[in-house]
Amino acid sequence: QKAAQNLKPIVPIKFHISSRTDTGVHALCNSAHLDIQRAPGKPAFNEKQLIYSLNYHLRPEPIRILNAYRVTNSFHARFSALSRTYIYRLLMGCTHHSEIPVFEKDLCWAPAGGHLNVPAMQDAAQFLLGTHDFSTFRSLNSETPFQSPVRTIFHVDIRPSSGFLSHHYEHRGLEFWELKFRSRSFLYRQVRRMVGALVAVGQGKLTPHHIKELLEIKDSRAFPPNAMAPPSGLFLKSVEY
């Protein structure tokens, strides 16, 4: 927003972000919309000018504008979104946190105990697909009383993934896996709680059928204590319109 104010609009600019993320969560690609009103006689910015100018003023920040598009007045970055895709990165094979590659620090989660039972996690993930009351899988916040807990998960996938510079440490038996979730919208901390429950299945602490039972209970207090996945492994991958 500060960078955009440097473009000298005649009306203060407000960014409307498609998705907010918790502290420690990453965004590979988030979306926002803004209105820029220039002084009379000045032409509107084109997309390339806007990208260049905003990135010039964003140089000190860990954020870059990748693309810009002119949209209709009725467009809204949050409410016009058809779906959002999140990726969660798991590292298996670590017996101690000191074994996490230095270039992966704060970019993945290495659950205790090393390896996980992936087929059991994949079986459990199927219970999350479709439309459900996800009350058990949300953390409570100020919006909870005003939000419906019903959400539709379009896609869940658990598959192997490469790590950054992984050829340097693949001899150590470390394995990266990605959990992908796509929905029109998610509840507060829903993805982190779903991941934590699936990891508990992989560790043998829960069975795949426990995921179905947690959904049916519809009570956030029924979620296993301390099972929520940390923010470091979560990435907002894309917002679809």
Side-chain angles (χ1 to χ4, degrees), residues 203-220:
Q203 293 170 324
K205 296 175 181 175
L206 299 176
T207 67
H209 209 265
H210 274 127
I211 302 299
K212 185 172 186 286
E213 292 174 4
L214 286 172
L215 279 169
E216 290 168 350
I217 291 170
K218 303 175 187 174
D219 186 346
S220 62

Side-chain angles (χ1 to χ4, degrees), residues 171-235:
H171 63 281
R172 291 165 51 191
L174 303 180
E175 289 180 15
F176 280 92
W177 288 76
E178 280 186 359
L179 287 73
K180 183 190 286 188
F181 302 88
R182 185 165 63 87
S183 173
R184 184 159 191 270
S185 62
F186 293 91
L187 298 166
Y188 181 51
R189 292 182 174 168
Q190 180 185 345
V191 177
R192 288 173 58 193
R193 284 167 82 107
M194 291 190 297
V195 169
L198 292 175
V199 165
V201 170
Q203 293 170 324
K205 296 175 181 175
L206 299 176
T207 67
H209 209 265
H210 274 127
I211 302 299
K212 185 172 186 286
E213 292 174 4
L214 286 172
L215 279 169
E216 290 168 350
I217 291 170
K218 303 175 187 174
D219 186 346
S220 62
R221 293 168 296 186
F223 189 77
N226 305 315
M228 183 168 67
S232 54
L234 184 57
F235 294 74

Side-chain angles (χ1 to χ4, degrees), residues 161-175:
S161 166
S162 60
F164 304 132
L165 307 173
S166 59
H167 57 285
H168 288 291
Y169 47 79
E170 57 193 7
H171 63 281
R172 291 165 51 191
L174 303 180
E175 289 180 15

